[in-house]
DNA sequence: CCCTTGACTATCT
DNA sequence: GAGATAGCCAAGG
């Protein structure tokens, strides 16, 4: 086996497994936190290679939308898993309820109008 | 070895 | 602000 890839995988798994429930991280953020900047596209591969179940669903795009195609099984699966942790979706984007900014949250949930 | 693909991003139109 | 473009990097054909 390629040892270098194993090192990369472990670093990614470590970061992903540390994402708190109800929180999310972007692929690029995970890669950077793991010490591999510019490896955002590799994060998914590393997670898929994990033998142990990982909170992969807490990893989203930098714009907070889900990476999977809308309507796909994986997309729906990820969405329900996140919602089960209290995360909400507004306009296809995840909204962290514990963001602490109640004013903005109210606007997002009730609409600025 | 060249080319395509993708669970990505930042930037420009 | 949505769509196109251009970097990015490993994997597979």
């Amino acid at each position: 086996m390629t040892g270098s890839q194993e090192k990369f995988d472990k670093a990614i798994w470590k970061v992903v497994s540390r994402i708190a429930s109800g929180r999310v991280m972007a692929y690029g953020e995970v890669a950077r936190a793991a010490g591999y900047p510019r490896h955002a596209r590799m994060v998914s591969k590393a997670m898929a290679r994990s033998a142990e179940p990982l909170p992969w669903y807490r990893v989203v795009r930098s714009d907070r939308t889900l990476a999977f195609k809308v309507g796909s099984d994986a997309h729906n699966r990820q969405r329900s898993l996140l919602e089960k942790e209290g995360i909400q979706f507004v306009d296809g984007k995840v909204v962290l309820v514990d963001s602490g900014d109640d004013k903005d949250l109210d606007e997002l949930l009730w609409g600025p109008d």
Side-chain angles (χ1 to χ4, degrees):
Chain A
M1 288 205 198
T2 62
S4 59
Q5 173 177 93
E6 185 179 308
K7 199 170 71 170
F8 173 78
D9 285 358
K10 283 188 178 176
I12 297 299
W13 299 342
K14 189 169 186 173
V15 173
V16 174
S17 64
R18 282 175 184 272
I19 304 176
S21 174
R23 294 285 217 78
V24 296
M25 260 194 189
Y27 292 88
E29 290 180 288
V30 172
R32 185 155 32 82
Y36 294 85
R38 290 185 292 294
H39 282 64
R41 306 189 93 132
M42 301 292 95
V43 173
S44 58
K45 293 270 189 184
M47 289 192 292
R49 280 193 292 265
S50 173
E52 302 295 318
L54 220 57
W56 57 270
Y57 52 87
R58 295 183 190 150
V59 183
V60 301
R61 289 200 178 124
S62 59
D63 63 359
R64 308 235 166 179
T65 62
L66 303 191
F68 292 105
K69 191 175 173 186
V70 177
S72 65
D73 284 14
H75 178 100
N76 296 330
R77 190 154 49 240
Q78 181 173 16
R79 173 163 177 155
S80 50
L81 282 167
L82 288 173
E83 288 176 331
K84 189 159 34 172
E85 296 191 343
I87 289 177
Q88 304 208 14
F89 284 77
V90 175
D91 195 35
K93 302 182 183 188
V94 304
V95 177
L96 272 36
V97 176
D98 62 342
S99 69
D101 207 318
D102 299 302
K103 185 172 173 298
D104 285 359
L105 181 60
D106 280 356
E107 274 194 356
L108 287 169
L109 297 180
W110 286 91
D113 326 274

